Amino acid sequence: QVTLKESGTGILQPSQALSLTCSFSGFSLSTTGICVSWIRQPSGKGLEWLADICWDDGKGYNPSLKNRLSISKDTSNNQAFLKITSVDTADTATYYCARGSFFDYWGQGVMVTVSS
Amino acid sequence: DIVMTQGVLPNPVPSGESASITCRSSKSLVYKDGKTYLNWFLQRPGQSPQLLTYWMSTRASGVSDRFSGSGSGTYFTLKISRVRAEDAGVYYCQQVREYPLTFGSGTKLEIK
Protein backbone atom coordinates (compact mmCIF):
# COMPACT_ATOMS: atom_id res chain seq x y z
CA GLN A 1 0.00 0.00 0.00
CA VAL A 2 1.44 3.34 -1.07
CA THR A 3 1.03 6.28 1.32
CA LEU A 4 2.61 9.72 1.58
CA LYS A 5 2.34 12.24 4.39
CA GLU A 6 3.59 15.78 4.55
CA SER A 7 4.77 17.56 7.66
CA GLY A 8 6.38 20.89 8.35
CA THR A 9 6.25 24.31 9.92
CA GLY A 10 2.65 25.48 10.14
CA ILE A 11 3.14 29.22 10.68
CA LEU A 12 6.13 31.30 9.71
CA GLN A 13 7.06 34.93 9.54
CA PRO A 14 8.19 36.62 6.33
CA SER A 15 11.86 36.08 5.46
CA GLN A 16 12.05 32.79 7.40
CA ALA A 17 12.82 29.42 5.81
CA LEU A 18 10.16 26.75 5.34
CA SER A 19 11.16 23.12 5.80
CA LEU A 20 8.83 20.34 4.64
CA THR A 21 9.12 16.58 4.96
CA CYS A 22 7.36 13.96 2.87
CA SER A 23 7.33 10.58 4.63
CA PHE A 24 6.23 7.72 2.44
CA SER A 25 5.74 3.96 2.42
CA GLY A 26 4.99 1.29 -0.15
CA PHE A 27 7.74 2.32 -2.53
CA SER A 28 11.41 3.30 -2.48
CA LEU A 29 13.25 6.28 -3.88
CA SER A 30 16.09 3.90 -4.72
CA THR A 31 13.94 2.09 -7.31
CA THR A 32 14.76 2.98 -10.90
CA GLY A 33 12.31 5.45 -12.35
CA ILE A 34 10.79 6.61 -9.07
CA CYS A 35 10.53 10.32 -8.28
CA VAL A 36 8.74 12.41 -5.65
CA SER A 37 7.34 15.86 -6.43
CA TRP A 38 6.26 18.79 -4.31
CA ILE A 39 3.18 20.78 -5.35
CA ARG A 40 1.40 23.63 -3.63
CA GLN A 41 -2.06 25.16 -3.75
CA PRO A 42 -3.11 28.50 -2.24
CA SER A 43 -6.57 28.37 -0.76
CA GLY A 44 -9.21 28.46 -3.50
CA LYS A 45 -6.62 28.51 -6.27
CA GLY A 46 -4.89 26.09 -8.63
CA LEU A 47 -1.97 23.71 -8.40
CA GLU A 48 1.67 24.74 -8.82
CA TRP A 49 4.46 22.21 -9.25
CA LEU A 50 7.52 23.19 -7.25
CA ALA A 51 10.23 20.54 -7.56
CA ASP A 52 10.99 16.86 -7.83
CA ILE A 53 13.76 14.45 -6.89
CA CYS A 54 14.37 11.07 -8.47
CA TRP A 55 15.98 7.73 -7.71
CA ASP A 56 19.26 8.79 -9.37
CA ASP A 57 19.33 12.02 -7.33
CA GLY A 58 18.23 13.97 -10.39
CA LYS A 59 16.35 17.12 -9.42
CA GLY A 60 13.99 19.51 -11.15
CA TYR A 61 12.91 22.94 -9.95
CA ASN A 62 10.30 25.47 -10.92
CA PRO A 63 12.32 28.48 -12.11
CA SER A 64 9.50 30.83 -11.02
CA LEU A 65 10.78 30.40 -7.47
CA LYS A 66 14.28 31.13 -8.68
CA ASN A 67 16.91 29.99 -6.21
CA ARG A 68 14.66 29.72 -3.17
CA LEU A 69 14.03 25.97 -3.48
CA SER A 70 16.15 23.06 -2.35
CA ILE A 71 15.01 19.42 -2.55
CA SER A 72 16.72 16.40 -1.02
CA LYS A 73 16.00 12.85 0.07
CA ASP A 74 16.81 10.24 2.68
CA THR A 75 16.37 6.95 0.86
CA SER A 76 17.01 4.80 3.92
CA ASN A 77 14.20 6.44 5.85
CA ASN A 78 11.80 6.86 2.92
CA GLN A 79 11.65 10.63 3.13
CA ALA A 80 11.91 13.58 0.75
CA PHE A 81 12.48 17.15 1.85
CA LEU A 82 11.80 20.60 0.48
CA LYS A 83 13.22 23.84 1.78
CA ILE A 84 11.98 27.25 0.69
CA THR A 85 14.02 30.23 1.79
CA SER A 86 12.91 33.84 2.30
CA VAL A 87 9.18 33.10 2.45
CA ASP A 88 6.56 35.80 2.12
CA THR A 89 2.75 35.87 2.26
CA ALA A 90 2.53 34.56 -1.32
CA ASP A 91 3.95 31.24 -0.05
CA THR A 92 0.85 30.67 2.09
CA ALA A 93 -0.65 27.45 0.71
CA THR A 94 -1.31 23.77 1.21
CA TYR A 95 1.79 21.82 0.24
CA TYR A 96 1.51 18.31 -1.20
CA CYS A 97 3.97 15.63 -2.12
CA ALA A 98 3.15 13.08 -4.82
CA ARG A 99 4.79 10.04 -6.37
CA GLY A 100 6.27 9.67 -9.79
CA SER A 101 5.72 11.28 -13.17
CA PHE A 102 2.14 10.07 -13.08
CA PHE A 103 1.48 11.66 -9.66
CA ASP A 104 -0.53 8.54 -8.91
CA TYR A 105 -0.41 8.89 -5.15
CA TRP A 106 -0.66 12.12 -3.15
CA GLY A 107 -0.33 13.01 0.48
CA GLN A 108 -3.14 14.72 2.37
CA GLY A 109 -1.28 18.04 2.29
CA VAL A 110 0.04 20.34 5.00
CA MET A 111 -1.15 23.91 5.45
CA VAL A 112 1.51 26.58 5.71
CA THR A 113 0.76 30.16 6.67
CA VAL A 114 3.20 33.03 6.31
CA SER A 115 2.16 36.00 8.38
CA SER A 116 3.77 38.79 10.32
CA ASP B 1 7.39 27.07 -19.95
CA ILE B 2 4.54 25.06 -21.49
CA VAL B 3 1.26 26.87 -20.84
CA MET B 4 -1.80 24.70 -20.22
CA THR B 5 -5.17 26.33 -20.98
CA GLN B 6 -8.40 24.70 -19.82
CA GLY B 7 -11.94 25.34 -20.99
CA VAL B 8 -15.04 26.15 -18.99
CA LEU B 9 -18.05 23.88 -18.51
CA PRO B 10 -21.67 25.06 -18.83
CA ASN B 11 -22.51 24.25 -15.22
CA PRO B 12 -24.46 22.63 -13.73
CA VAL B 13 -24.44 19.42 -15.75
CA PRO B 14 -27.51 17.21 -15.27
CA SER B 15 -26.83 13.87 -13.64
CA GLY B 16 -26.64 11.13 -16.27
CA GLU B 17 -25.47 13.47 -19.03
CA SER B 18 -21.96 13.61 -20.47
CA ALA B 19 -19.38 16.33 -19.90
CA SER B 20 -16.25 17.10 -21.89
CA ILE B 21 -13.39 19.11 -20.45
CA THR B 22 -10.84 20.60 -22.80
CA CYS B 23 -7.17 21.40 -22.31
CA ARG B 24 -4.71 22.96 -24.73
CA SER B 25 -0.92 23.05 -24.46
CA SER B 26 1.36 25.71 -25.93
CA LYS B 27 3.72 23.00 -27.20
CA SER B 28 3.31 19.41 -28.32
CA LEU B 29 3.35 16.94 -25.44
CA VAL B 30 4.39 14.01 -27.65
CA TYR B 31 7.80 12.68 -26.68
CA LYS B 32 10.21 10.78 -28.93
CA ASP B 33 8.88 7.49 -27.50
CA GLY B 34 5.53 8.30 -29.13
CA LYS B 35 3.72 8.79 -25.83
CA THR B 36 1.79 11.94 -24.98
CA TYR B 37 2.77 13.16 -21.54
CA LEU B 38 -0.49 14.55 -20.23
CA ASN B 39 -2.19 13.73 -16.92
CA TRP B 40 -5.76 14.46 -15.81
CA PHE B 41 -6.75 14.86 -12.16
CA LEU B 42 -9.95 15.37 -10.19
CA GLN B 43 -9.86 17.33 -6.95
CA ARG B 44 -13.00 16.95 -4.90
CA PRO B 45 -13.73 19.62 -2.28
CA GLY B 46 -11.43 19.28 0.70
CA GLN B 47 -9.43 16.42 -0.85
CA SER B 48 -6.09 15.92 -2.53
CA PRO B 49 -6.06 15.61 -6.32
CA GLN B 50 -6.69 12.13 -7.70
CA LEU B 51 -5.06 10.83 -10.88
CA LEU B 52 -7.62 9.90 -13.53
CA THR B 53 -5.56 9.32 -16.67
CA TYR B 54 -1.91 9.45 -17.74
CA TRP B 55 -0.18 9.27 -21.15
CA MET B 56 -3.27 11.22 -22.29
CA SER B 57 -5.63 8.25 -22.44
CA THR B 58 -4.54 5.49 -20.03
CA ARG B 59 -6.88 5.26 -17.05
CA ALA B 60 -5.29 5.03 -13.65
CA SER B 61 -5.91 1.97 -11.52
CA GLY B 62 -9.42 1.86 -10.10
CA VAL B 63 -10.74 4.74 -12.20
CA SER B 64 -14.18 4.22 -13.73
CA ASP B 65 -14.40 3.58 -17.47
CA ARG B 66 -16.83 6.52 -17.56
CA PHE B 67 -13.67 8.65 -17.75
CA SER B 68 -11.87 8.71 -21.07
CA GLY B 69 -9.00 10.86 -22.27
CA SER B 70 -8.24 11.67 -25.88
CA GLY B 71 -6.54 14.27 -28.04
CA SER B 72 -3.68 15.20 -30.28
CA GLY B 73 -0.27 16.65 -29.43
CA THR B 74 -1.62 19.97 -28.20
CA TYR B 75 -5.37 19.60 -27.76
CA PHE B 76 -6.90 17.24 -25.23
CA THR B 77 -10.31 16.23 -23.97
CA LEU B 78 -11.45 14.41 -20.87
CA LYS B 79 -14.92 12.98 -21.39
CA ILE B 80 -17.05 11.96 -18.45
CA SER B 81 -20.00 9.77 -19.40
CA ARG B 82 -23.17 9.55 -17.32
CA VAL B 83 -22.00 12.06 -14.73
CA ARG B 84 -22.78 11.37 -11.09
CA ALA B 85 -22.79 13.53 -7.98
CA GLU B 86 -19.41 12.04 -6.98
CA ASP B 87 -17.81 13.48 -10.15
CA ALA B 88 -18.24 17.05 -8.86
CA GLY B 89 -15.05 18.99 -8.25
CA VAL B 90 -12.25 20.68 -10.13
CA TYR B 91 -10.48 18.91 -12.98
CA TYR B 92 -6.86 19.71 -13.82
CA CYS B 93 -4.73 18.78 -16.78
CA GLN B 94 -0.95 18.62 -16.32
CA GLN B 95 1.91 18.27 -18.75
CA VAL B 96 4.87 16.12 -17.69
CA ARG B 97 6.64 16.40 -21.06
CA GLU B 98 9.31 18.80 -19.85
CA TYR B 99 10.41 20.89 -16.90
CA PRO B 100 8.93 22.88 -15.34
CA LEU B 101 5.91 20.63 -15.04
CA THR B 102 2.78 22.74 -15.40
CA PHE B 103 -0.92 22.45 -14.60
CA GLY B 104 -3.93 24.01 -16.21
CA SER B 105 -5.94 26.45 -14.12
CA GLY B 106 -8.70 23.92 -13.49
CA THR B 107 -12.25 23.34 -14.73
CA LYS B 108 -15.07 23.16 -12.22
CA LEU B 109 -17.79 20.57 -12.69
CA GLU B 110 -21.08 20.98 -10.86
CA ILE B 111 -23.79 18.34 -11.03
CA LYS B 112 -27.53 19.06 -11.09
Side-chain angles (χ1 to χ4, degrees), chain B residues 65-90:
Chain B
D65 60 5
R66 296 186 300 106
F67 293 88
S68 60
S70 63
S72 63
T74 59
Y75 189 80
F76 312 99
T77 303
L78 178 72
K79 183 178 179 181
I80 311 165
S81 303
R82 306 180 303 281
V83 298
R84 303 175 179 174
E86 69 206 47
D87 301 333
V90 180

PDB file of all heavy atoms in Angstrom, chain B residues 65-90:
ATOM      1  N   ASP B  65     -14.508   3.455 -16.007  1.00  0.00           N
ATOM      2  CA  ASP B  65     -14.399   3.584 -17.467  1.00  0.00           C
ATOM      3  C   ASP B  65     -15.326   4.669 -18.013  1.00  0.00           C
ATOM      4  O   ASP B  65     -15.400   4.879 -19.219  1.00  0.00           O
ATOM      5  CB  ASP B  65     -14.644   2.245 -18.156  1.00  0.00           C
ATOM      6  CG  ASP B  65     -16.019   1.658 -17.865  1.00  0.00           C
ATOM      7  OD1 ASP B  65     -16.826   2.340 -17.208  1.00  0.00           O
ATOM      8  OD2 ASP B  65     -16.278   0.518 -18.299  1.00  0.00           O
ATOM      9  N   ARG B  66     -16.052   5.355 -17.128  1.00  0.00           N
ATOM     10  CA  ARG B  66     -16.826   6.519 -17.564  1.00  0.00           C
ATOM     11  C   ARG B  66     -15.899   7.691 -17.904  1.00  0.00           C
ATOM     12  O   ARG B  66     -16.325   8.650 -18.543  1.00  0.00           O
ATOM     13  CB  ARG B  66     -17.805   6.949 -16.475  1.00  0.00           C
ATOM     14  CG  ARG B  66     -18.881   5.910 -16.156  1.00  0.00           C
ATOM     15  CD  ARG B  66     -19.911   6.449 -15.158  1.00  0.00           C
ATOM     16  NE  ARG B  66     -19.318   6.828 -13.881  1.00  0.00           N
ATOM     17  CZ  ARG B  66     -19.137   8.077 -13.502  1.00  0.00           C
ATOM     18  NH1 ARG B  66     -19.494   9.089 -14.280  1.00  0.00           N
ATOM     19  NH2 ARG B  66     -18.595   8.332 -12.312  1.00  0.00           N
ATOM     20  N   PHE B  67     -14.648   7.605 -17.463  1.00  0.00           N
ATOM     21  CA  PHE B  67     -13.666   8.654 -17.747  1.00  0.00           C
ATOM     22  C   PHE B  67     -12.790   8.208 -18.920  1.00  0.00           C
ATOM     23  O   PHE B  67     -12.205   7.126 -18.887  1.00  0.00           O
ATOM     24  CB  PHE B  67     -12.775   8.914 -16.530  1.00  0.00           C
ATOM     25  CG  PHE B  67     -13.506   9.514 -15.366  1.00  0.00           C
ATOM     26  CD1 PHE B  67     -14.119   8.700 -14.431  1.00  0.00           C
ATOM     27  CD2 PHE B  67     -13.581  10.893 -15.210  1.00  0.00           C
ATOM     28  CE1 PHE B  67     -14.803   9.253 -13.349  1.00  0.00           C
ATOM     29  CE2 PHE B  67     -14.248  11.460 -14.134  1.00  0.00           C
ATOM     30  CZ  PHE B  67     -14.867  10.628 -13.209  1.00  0.00           C
ATOM     31  N   SER B  68     -12.711   9.057 -19.941  1.00  0.00           N
ATOM     32  CA  SER B  68     -11.867   8.707 -21.067  1.00  0.00           C
ATOM     33  C   SER B  68     -11.116   9.940 -21.565  1.00  0.00           C
ATOM     34  O   SER B  68     -11.718  11.007 -21.741  1.00  0.00           O
ATOM     35  CB  SER B  68     -12.684   8.076 -22.198  1.00  0.00           C
ATOM     36  OG  SER B  68     -13.672   8.974 -22.654  1.00  0.00           O
ATOM     37  N   GLY B  69      -9.833   9.776 -21.774  1.00  0.00           N
ATOM     38  CA  GLY B  69      -8.997  10.859 -22.265  1.00  0.00           C
ATOM     39  C   GLY B  69      -8.654  10.649 -23.729  1.00  0.00           C
ATOM     40  O   GLY B  69      -8.450   9.519 -24.184  1.00  0.00           O
ATOM     41  N   SER B  70      -8.597  11.744 -24.472  1.00  0.00           N
ATOM     42  CA  SER B  70      -8.242  11.667 -25.882  1.00  0.00           C
ATOM     43  C   SER B  70      -7.569  12.966 -26.285  1.00  0.00           C
ATOM     44  O   SER B  70      -7.474  13.922 -25.497  1.00  0.00           O
ATOM     45  CB  SER B  70      -9.483  11.418 -26.735  1.00  0.00           C
ATOM     46  OG  SER B  70     -10.397  12.512 -26.605  1.00  0.00           O
ATOM     47  N   GLY B  71      -7.114  13.026 -27.549  1.00  0.00           N
ATOM     48  CA  GLY B  71      -6.542  14.273 -28.037  1.00  0.00           C
ATOM     49  C   GLY B  71      -5.462  14.082 -29.066  1.00  0.00           C
ATOM     50  O   GLY B  71      -5.245  12.977 -29.588  1.00  0.00           O
ATOM     51  N   SER B  72      -4.791  15.186 -29.344  1.00  0.00           N
ATOM     52  CA  SER B  72      -3.680  15.198 -30.283  1.00  0.00           C
ATOM     53  C   SER B  72      -2.431  15.585 -29.503  1.00  0.00           C
ATOM     54  O   SER B  72      -2.371  15.325 -28.304  1.00  0.00           O
ATOM     55  CB  SER B  72      -3.963  16.226 -31.383  1.00  0.00           C
ATOM     56  OG  SER B  72      -4.044  17.526 -30.807  1.00  0.00           O
ATOM     57  N   GLY B  73      -1.473  16.240 -30.156  1.00  0.00           N
ATOM     58  CA  GLY B  73      -0.273  16.647 -29.432  1.00  0.00           C
ATOM     59  C   GLY B  73      -0.468  17.867 -28.576  1.00  0.00           C
ATOM     60  O   GLY B  73       0.258  18.054 -27.583  1.00  0.00           O
ATOM     61  N   THR B  74      -1.440  18.717 -28.933  1.00  0.00           N
ATOM     62  CA  THR B  74      -1.618  19.972 -28.205  1.00  0.00           C
ATOM     63  C   THR B  74      -3.049  20.238 -27.767  1.00  0.00           C
ATOM     64  O   THR B  74      -3.308  21.235 -27.099  1.00  0.00           O
ATOM     65  CB  THR B  74      -1.165  21.174 -29.071  1.00  0.00           C
ATOM     66  OG1 THR B  74      -1.949  21.187 -30.269  1.00  0.00           O
ATOM     67  CG2 THR B  74       0.318  21.090 -29.415  1.00  0.00           C
ATOM     68  N   TYR B  75      -3.975  19.397 -28.133  1.00  0.00           N
ATOM     69  CA  TYR B  75      -5.375  19.603 -27.763  1.00  0.00           C
ATOM     70  C   TYR B  75      -5.942  18.327 -27.178  1.00  0.00           C
ATOM     71  O   TYR B  75      -5.881  17.277 -27.811  1.00  0.00           O
ATOM     72  CB  TYR B  75      -6.196  20.042 -28.980  1.00  0.00           C
ATOM     73  CG  TYR B  75      -7.589  20.473 -28.635  1.00  0.00           C
ATOM     74  CD1 TYR B  75      -7.853  21.736 -28.136  1.00  0.00           C
ATOM     75  CD2 TYR B  75      -8.664  19.593 -28.780  1.00  0.00           C
ATOM     76  CE1 TYR B  75      -9.132  22.133 -27.798  1.00  0.00           C
ATOM     77  CE2 TYR B  75      -9.948  19.975 -28.449  1.00  0.00           C
ATOM     78  CZ  TYR B  75     -10.172  21.252 -27.957  1.00  0.00           C
ATOM     79  OH  TYR B  75     -11.440  21.637 -27.628  1.00  0.00           O
ATOM     80  N   PHE B  76      -6.518  18.437 -25.976  1.00  0.00           N
ATOM     81  CA  PHE B  76      -6.902  17.245 -25.234  1.00  0.00           C
ATOM     82  C   PHE B  76      -8.309  17.396 -24.672  1.00  0.00           C
ATOM     83  O   PHE B  76      -8.765  18.502 -24.383  1.00  0.00           O
ATOM     84  CB  PHE B  76      -5.915  17.012 -24.077  1.00  0.00           C
ATOM     85  CG  PHE B  76      -4.492  17.112 -24.519  1.00  0.00           C
ATOM     86  CD1 PHE B  76      -3.775  18.283 -24.323  1.00  0.00           C
ATOM     87  CD2 PHE B  76      -3.870  16.056 -25.167  1.00  0.00           C
ATOM     88  CE1 PHE B  76      -2.469  18.401 -24.754  1.00  0.00           C
ATOM     89  CE2 PHE B  76      -2.561  16.165 -25.602  1.00  0.00           C
ATOM     90  CZ  PHE B  76      -1.866  17.343 -25.402  1.00  0.00           C
ATOM     91  N   THR B  77      -8.965  16.254 -24.512  1.00  0.00           N
ATOM     92  CA  THR B  77     -10.313  16.229 -23.970  1.00  0.00           C
ATOM     93  C   THR B  77     -10.433  15.105 -22.952  1.00  0.00           C
ATOM     94  O   THR B  77      -9.974  13.988 -23.195  1.00  0.00           O
ATOM     95  CB  THR B  77     -11.353  16.010 -25.085  1.00  0.00           C
ATOM     96  OG1 THR B  77     -11.226  17.035 -26.069  1.00  0.00           O
ATOM     97  CG2 THR B  77     -12.764  16.041 -24.511  1.00  0.00           C
ATOM     98  N   LEU B  78     -11.046  15.428 -21.837  1.00  0.00           N
ATOM     99  CA  LEU B  78     -11.451  14.412 -20.868  1.00  0.00           C
ATOM    100  C   LEU B  78     -12.967  14.329 -20.927  1.00  0.00           C
ATOM    101  O   LEU B  78     -13.648  15.321 -20.652  1.00  0.00           O
ATOM    102  CB  LEU B  78     -10.995  14.773 -19.455  1.00  0.00           C
ATOM    103  CG  LEU B  78     -11.417  13.771 -18.371  1.00  0.00           C
ATOM    104  CD1 LEU B  78     -10.612  12.476 -18.494  1.00  0.00           C
ATOM    105  CD2 LEU B  78     -11.242  14.368 -16.975  1.00  0.00           C
ATOM    106  N   LYS B  79     -13.471  13.171 -21.320  1.00  0.00           N
ATOM    107  CA  LYS B  79     -14.918  12.980 -21.386  1.00  0.00           C
ATOM    108  C   LYS B  79     -15.386  12.169 -20.189  1.00  0.00           C
ATOM    109  O   LYS B  79     -14.805  11.124 -19.860  1.00  0.00           O
ATOM    110  CB  LYS B  79     -15.323  12.268 -22.679  1.00  0.00           C
ATOM    111  CG  LYS B  79     -16.836  12.111 -22.816  1.00  0.00           C
ATOM    112  CD  LYS B  79     -17.232  11.454 -24.119  1.00  0.00           C
ATOM    113  CE  LYS B  79     -18.740  11.289 -24.213  1.00  0.00           C
ATOM    114  NZ  LYS B  79     -19.161  10.634 -25.467  1.00  0.00           N
ATOM    115  N   ILE B  80     -16.443  12.665 -19.567  1.00  0.00           N
ATOM    116  CA  ILE B  80     -17.053  11.962 -18.447  1.00  0.00           C
ATOM    117  C   ILE B  80     -18.449  11.560 -18.899  1.00  0.00           C
ATOM    118  O   ILE B  80     -19.290  12.422 -19.186  1.00  0.00           O
ATOM    119  CB  ILE B  80     -17.141  12.843 -17.193  1.00  0.00           C
ATOM    120  CG1 ILE B  80     -15.792  13.514 -16.917  1.00  0.00           C
ATOM    121  CG2 ILE B  80     -17.588  12.018 -15.985  1.00  0.00           C
ATOM    122  CD1 ILE B  80     -15.862  14.662 -15.929  1.00  0.00           C
ATOM    123  N   SER B  81     -18.684  10.266 -18.981  1.00  0.00           N
ATOM    124  CA  SER B  81     -19.995   9.766 -19.399  1.00  0.00           C
ATOM    125  C   SER B  81     -20.883   9.560 -18.183  1.00  0.00           C
ATOM    126  O   SER B  81     -20.407   9.196 -17.107  1.00  0.00           O
ATOM    127  CB  SER B  81     -19.837   8.450 -20.155  1.00  0.00           C
ATOM    128  OG  SER B  81     -18.985   8.608 -21.274  1.00  0.00           O
ATOM    129  N   ARG B  82     -22.176   9.807 -18.376  1.00  0.00           N
ATOM    130  CA  ARG B  82     -23.168   9.547 -17.319  1.00  0.00           C
ATOM    131  C   ARG B  82     -22.708  10.129 -15.977  1.00  0.00           C
ATOM    132  O   ARG B  82     -22.512   9.400 -14.996  1.00  0.00           O
ATOM    133  CB  ARG B  82     -23.413   8.049 -17.198  1.00  0.00           C
ATOM    134  CG  ARG B  82     -23.810   7.400 -18.528  1.00  0.00           C
ATOM    135  CD  ARG B  82     -24.060   5.896 -18.381  1.00  0.00           C
ATOM    136  NE  ARG B  82     -22.932   5.162 -17.834  1.00  0.00           N
ATOM    137  CZ  ARG B  82     -21.857   4.802 -18.512  1.00  0.00           C
ATOM    138  NH1 ARG B  82     -21.745   5.135 -19.802  1.00  0.00           N
ATOM    139  NH2 ARG B  82     -20.884   4.126 -17.933  1.00  0.00           N
ATOM    140  N   VAL B  83     -22.556  11.426 -15.934  1.00  0.00           N
ATOM    141  CA  VAL B  83     -22.005  12.060 -14.731  1.00  0.00           C
ATOM    142  C   VAL B  83     -22.850  11.740 -13.505  1.00  0.00           C
ATOM    143  O   VAL B  83     -24.082  11.590 -13.573  1.00  0.00           O
ATOM    144  CB  VAL B  83     -21.864  13.582 -14.900  1.00  0.00           C
ATOM    145  CG1 VAL B  83     -20.898  13.919 -16.019  1.00  0.00           C
ATOM    146  CG2 VAL B  83     -23.203  14.265 -15.101  1.00  0.00           C
ATOM    147  N   ARG B  84     -22.146  11.640 -12.379  1.00  0.00           N
ATOM    148  CA  ARG B  84     -22.781  11.367 -11.093  1.00  0.00           C
ATOM    149  C   ARG B  84     -22.387  12.466 -10.114  1.00  0.00           C
ATOM    150  O   ARG B  84     -21.423  13.202 -10.342  1.00  0.00           O
ATOM    151  CB  ARG B  84     -22.298  10.026 -10.540  1.00  0.00           C
ATOM    152  CG  ARG B  84     -22.517   8.837 -11.417  1.00  0.00           C
ATOM    153  CD  ARG B  84     -21.866   7.613 -10.774  1.00  0.00           C
ATOM    154  NE  ARG B  84     -22.064   6.398 -11.565  1.00  0.00           N
ATOM    155  CZ  ARG B  84     -21.505   5.233 -11.270  1.00  0.00           C
ATOM    156  NH1 ARG B  84     -20.722   5.120 -10.218  1.00  0.00           N
ATOM    157  NH2 ARG B  84     -21.721   4.180 -12.020  1.00  0.00           N
ATOM    158  N   ALA B  85     -23.087  12.516  -9.008  1.00  0.00           N
ATOM    159  CA  ALA B  85     -22.794  13.528  -7.982  1.00  0.00           C
ATOM    160  C   ALA B  85     -21.333  13.447  -7.522  1.00  0.00           C
ATOM    161  O   ALA B  85     -20.693  14.463  -7.252  1.00  0.00           O
ATOM    162  CB  ALA B  85     -23.733  13.357  -6.795  1.00  0.00           C
ATOM    163  N   GLU B  86     -20.779  12.243  -7.464  1.00  0.00           N
ATOM    164  CA  GLU B  86     -19.406  12.040  -6.977  1.00  0.00           C
ATOM    165  C   GLU B  86     -18.356  12.579  -7.942  1.00  0.00           C
ATOM    166  O   GLU B  86     -17.168  12.663  -7.595  1.00  0.00           O
ATOM    167  CB  GLU B  86     -19.150  10.551  -6.739  1.00  0.00           C
ATOM    168  CG  GLU B  86     -19.101   9.738  -8.012  1.00  0.00           C
ATOM    169  CD  GLU B  86     -19.465   8.281  -7.797  1.00  0.00           C
ATOM    170  OE1 GLU B  86     -20.482   8.016  -7.127  1.00  0.00           O
ATOM    171  OE2 GLU B  86     -18.736   7.407  -8.314  1.00  0.00           O
ATOM    172  N   ASP B  87     -18.757  12.941  -9.165  1.00  0.00           N
ATOM    173  CA  ASP B  87     -17.815  13.480 -10.145  1.00  0.00           C
ATOM    174  C   ASP B  87     -17.603  14.985  -9.963  1.00  0.00           C
ATOM    175  O   ASP B  87     -16.743  15.582 -10.632  1.00  0.00           O
ATOM    176  CB  ASP B  87     -18.303  13.229 -11.567  1.00  0.00           C
ATOM    177  CG  ASP B  87     -18.490  11.750 -11.884  1.00  0.00           C
ATOM    178  OD1 ASP B  87     -17.791  10.920 -11.259  1.00  0.00           O
ATOM    179  OD2 ASP B  87     -19.333  11.432 -12.738  1.00  0.00           O
ATOM    180  N   ALA B  88     -18.360  15.598  -9.083  1.00  0.00           N
ATOM    181  CA  ALA B  88     -18.242  17.046  -8.864  1.00  0.00           C
ATOM    182  C   ALA B  88     -16.882  17.402  -8.273  1.00  0.00           C
ATOM    183  O   ALA B  88     -16.343  16.676  -7.445  1.00  0.00           O
ATOM    184  CB  ALA B  88     -19.349  17.521  -7.937  1.00  0.00           C
ATOM    185  N   GLY B  89     -16.346  18.519  -8.739  1.00  0.00           N
ATOM    186  CA  GLY B  89     -15.051  18.986  -8.248  1.00  0.00           C
ATOM    187  C   GLY B  89     -14.348  19.782  -9.323  1.00  0.00           C
ATOM    188  O   GLY B  89     -14.970  20.235 -10.293  1.00  0.00           O
ATOM    189  N   VAL B  90     -13.050  19.949  -9.153  1.00  0.00           N
ATOM    190  CA  VAL B  90     -12.252  20.681 -10.126  1.00  0.00           C
ATOM    191  C   VAL B  90     -11.315  19.712 -10.831  1.00  0.00           C
ATOM    192  O   VAL B  90     -10.623  18.921 -10.180  1.00  0.00           O
ATOM    193  CB  VAL B  90     -11.443  21.808  -9.446  1.00  0.00           C
ATOM    194  CG1 VAL B  90     -10.612  22.565 -10.488  1.00  0.00           C
ATOM    195  CG2 VAL B  90     -12.375  22.770  -8.717  1.00  0.00           C
TER     196      VAL B  90
END
